[in-house]
């Protein structure tokens, strides 16, 4: 395997010393980049892009070249897993994802297979291998998956939702069926992430985008429990290095202590908590990733830089910080603002590591 030239991200995940704070951004390959829109057009559509390893590799590398990101993240989507379990998935232009035949009964859940990722998700594995080859050791590659609960929300609602009436209805009225669904998803996700690692992913992130809509009790029982079940099954060392696991629950800042005890290496923060408060609560048991408000990228560049400096100052002179946004970048952010965000972290962070 090629030597890794920039391993700041992996070192920070393991709370080892670094010369400056590494930075990447959720959704860093996306519509705010004209280059991304151009490649997506060549692919045909969003799902076609996900299923074309060569073009998925191309968009994965765009933010490395344009922004100087310290990590690449596999270009794909969390919803390819339910699709590989046999559920039809569509992404209409300008619309969110849709499952035209959502999960509605226990029989529907019982029928779902746990897919073999090397078969049904072979195009993802081909993309992982192509990206590692193309990166040639420039920066590490992050693989990812949705959390079982977050995947279940889309599978039961049939798409995005404001009320989550169906998925919460199933959770309250038929908890056994919900547990069966979540257990199947946890095993499918564990196999999927292990296959990404076997094919070259050097860290993995679990996106629990909708864990934050639950009560504390339900979060523990229906979301965190199944993320632990995944983490217990994961390959933790590959190619002679530890493979860090990042757990990100949007809206989960009330449960940081529980998340930090899940077995993950890194806790992903959303933007609703000050990072010094997060660190005071969970100490240095895990690294922290985050957590600038994504909307700050609409501010003028000087204000973005001020915010970056404030977050660095709050984290202070410690190991174990990966700079990121608190959620994904939005499509209408000016690219110059994204570039300034990365430049600011590169320029302002070295003084905190001397
Ligand atoms: O971070 C990255 O650059 C890697 C790529 C990535 C995408 N989706 C590409 C994408 C990742 C990590 C995801 C994860 C994902 N997908 C999540 C969890 C993270 C989060 O943002 O909370 C969720 C909930 C999904 C499901 C999904 N995919 C939705 C709800 C949507 C529509 C909303 C939107 O932004 O349009 C998508 C589409 C999607 N996934 C796009 C991209 C770049 C935009 C589609 C396009 O290019 O037309």
């Amino acid at each position: 395997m090629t030597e890794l030239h920039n391993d700041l991200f992996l070192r920070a995940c393991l709370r080892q010393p670094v010369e400056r704070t590494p930075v990447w951004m959720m959704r860093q390959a996306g519509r705010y980049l004209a280059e991304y829109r151009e490649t997506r057009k060549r692919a045909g559509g969003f799902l076609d892009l996900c299923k074309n390893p060569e073009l998925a590799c191309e968009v994965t590398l765009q933010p490395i070249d344009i922004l100087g990101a310290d990590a690449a993240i596999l270009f794909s989507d969390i919803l390819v897993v339910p699709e590989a379990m046999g559920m039809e998935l569509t992404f209409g232009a300008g619309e969110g994802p849709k499952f035209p035949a959502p999960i509605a009964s226990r029989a529907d859940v019982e029928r779902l297979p746990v897919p073999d990722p090397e078969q049904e998700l072979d195009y993802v594995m081909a993309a992982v291998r192509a990206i590692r080859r193309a990166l040639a050791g420039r920066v590490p590659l992050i693989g990812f998956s949705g959390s079982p609960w977050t995947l279940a929300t889309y599978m039961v609602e049939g798409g995005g939702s404001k009320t989550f009436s169906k998925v919460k209805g199933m959770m309250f009225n038929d908890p056994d069926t919900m547990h069966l669904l979540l257990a199947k998803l946890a095993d499918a996700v564990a196999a999927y992430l292990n296959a990404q690692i076997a094919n070259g992913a050097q860290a993995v992130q679990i996106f629990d985008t909708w864990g934050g809509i639950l009560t504390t009790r339900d979060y523990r029982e229906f979301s965190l429990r199944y993320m632990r079940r995944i983490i217990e099954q994961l390959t933790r060392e590959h190619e002679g290095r530890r493979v860090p696991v990042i757990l990100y629950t949007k809206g989960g800042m009330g449960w940081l202590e529980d998340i930090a005890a899940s077995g993950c290496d890194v806790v992903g923060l959303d933007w609703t908590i000050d990072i010094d408060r997060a660190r005071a609560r969970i100490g240095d048991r895990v690294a922290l990733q985050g957590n600038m408000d994504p909307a700050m990228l609409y501010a003028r560049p000087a204000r973005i830089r001020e915010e970056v400096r404030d977050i660095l100052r709050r984290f202070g002179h410690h190991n174990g910080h990966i700079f990121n946004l608190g959620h994904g970048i939005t499509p209408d952010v000016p690219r110059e603002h994204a570039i300034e965000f990365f430049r600011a972290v590169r320029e302002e962070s070295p003084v905190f590591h001397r």
Side-chain angles (χ1 to χ4, degrees), residues 51-109:
K51 293 181 179 178
N52 183 324
E54 192 189 325
L55 296 183
C57 172
E58 185 176 305
V59 295
T60 300
L61 263 67
Q62 286 167 354
I64 314 305
D65 296 327
I66 297 166
L67 308 166
D70 292 307
I73 180 160
L74 163 69
F75 187 81
S76 188
D77 196 80
I78 62 168
L79 300 179
V80 299
V81 169
E83 193 197 37
M85 297 168 96
M87 294 186 72
E88 186 195 344
L89 170 66
T90 63
F91 278 92
E95 274 179 62
K98 291 271 178 310
F99 288 111
I103 300 289
S105 68
R106 180 154 190 109
D108 290 344
V109 175

Side-chain angles (χ1 to χ4, degrees), residues 25-31 36 40 46 73-79 91 96-97 144 150 154 207 209-210 327:
M25 185 167 73
M26 288 186 268
R27 290 283 176 92
Q28 62 189 13
R31 287 162 290 183
Y36 168 84
R40 187 185 59 185
F46 171 67
I73 180 160
L74 163 69
F75 187 81
S76 188
D77 196 80
I78 62 168
L79 300 179
F91 278 92
F144 72 89
T150 292
Y154 289 98
F207 285 87
T209 305
W210 297 119
H327 194 208

Side-chain angles (χ1 to χ4, degrees), residues 1-5 132-133 135-138 202 239 241:
M1 266 297 161
T2 342
E3 182 196 348
L4 188 53
H5 303 297
R132 274 299 295 277
R133 218 175 303 123
L135 281 172
R138 283 172 71 190
Q202 291 152 295
E239 300 174 43
R241 291 189 90 125

